[in-house]
Amino acid sequence: LALSLPAKVLTCALGYNHLGLGDEFGRIFMQGNNRYGQLGTGDKIDRGEPAQVHYLKCPLDLWCGLNHTLVLSHSGDLGKDLMGCGCGAGGRLPGWPKGSASFVRLHIKVPPCVRRICSTRECLYMLSSHDIEEVPAYRELPASKAGLLPSDTEAMAARACEEYLSQLHKCRTLEG
């Protein structure tokens, strides 16, 4: 199946009847069955072509489940948030038992060291890592395409590195 996307795909998540894609500019595209709102497009209309989810940017991880989707993202305070959409039954979307057709912030505390997520109908798994050598996964969208001024990625990377080092210093296993 050939998909027409304007940039290189860096991440792909496959659900039961839907898929999510993340491109090199940090944009998220969803396609497939949307009966429960699992595409996060704000409606329940199926998509035969990838549709961009405009309000989510630069996912750290993307997971498509049976009829729900999860996105791990940075929060404003250098922390992390878990966003989700689709069916909320069985605790799939903590805090949203009726589900949501748009991505919503889930009621779960995400440790800053979480790198990957996955879930089943009943369980949510988070893989943690303290890798301070991690390089940014995305590149800046050219200003001509974004309609925005380029951001200072070096300053953001320095702040992130300081945060990771701070986490390491607070780690109990490193204490004497």
Side-chain angles (χ1 to χ4, degrees), residues 145-169:
K145 291 185 179 182
L148 304 170
L149 296 174
S151 67
D152 186 2
T153 55
E154 289 181 18
M156 288 184 348
R159 282 193 302 272
C161 186
E162 288 175 7
E163 175 66 21
Y164 296 141
L165 288 173
S166 171
Q167 289 176 26
L168 281 175
H169 289 297

Side-chain angles (χ1 to χ4, degrees), residues 11 22 26-28 56-62 71-73 137-138:
T11 187
R27 297 176 295 186
I28 297 175
L56 278 180
K57 305 254 190 261
C58 300
L60 298 171
D61 199 19
L62 176 64
V71 170
L72 180 65
S73 63
Y138 305 106

Side-chain angles (χ1 to χ4, degrees), residues 7 15 66 104 107 116 141 164:
L66 176 66
V104 290
H107 297 184
R116 299 282 181 249
L141 186 63
Y164 296 141

Side-chain angles (χ1 to χ4, degrees), residues 26-109:
R27 297 176 295 186
I28 297 175
F29 296 87
M30 302 295 293
Q31 178 179 344
N33 180 292
N34 201 21
R35 180 177 182 182
Y36 297 94
Q38 63 263 44
L39 301 183
T41 53
D43 56 40
K44 294 185 178 179
I45 300 169
D46 295 348
R47 301 294 199 287
E49 294 290 323
Q52 184 177 353
V53 180
H54 292 280
Y55 55 93
L56 278 180
K57 305 254 190 261
C58 300
L60 298 171
D61 199 19
L62 176 64
W63 175 262
C64 293
L66 176 66
N67 47 27
H68 68 293
T69 302
L70 302 175
V71 170
L72 180 65
S73 63
H74 284 289
S75 64
D77 59 355
L78 294 178
K80 297 198 176 148
D81 286 325
L82 190 58
M83 309 292 286
C85 63
C87 180
R92 291 182 190 115
L93 302 178
W96 302 88
K98 294 184 179 180
S100 174
S102 297
F103 279 95
V104 290
R105 181 171 287 111
L106 302 183
H107 297 184
I108 187 166
K109 184 169 173 66

Side-chain angles (χ1 to χ4, degrees), residues 11-33:
T11 187
C12 175
L14 300 173
Y16 183 66
N17 283 316
H18 71 293
L19 69 95
L21 304 167
D23 77 3
E24 63 186 318
F25 300 114
R27 297 176 295 186
I28 297 175
F29 296 87
M30 302 295 293
Q31 178 179 344
N33 180 292

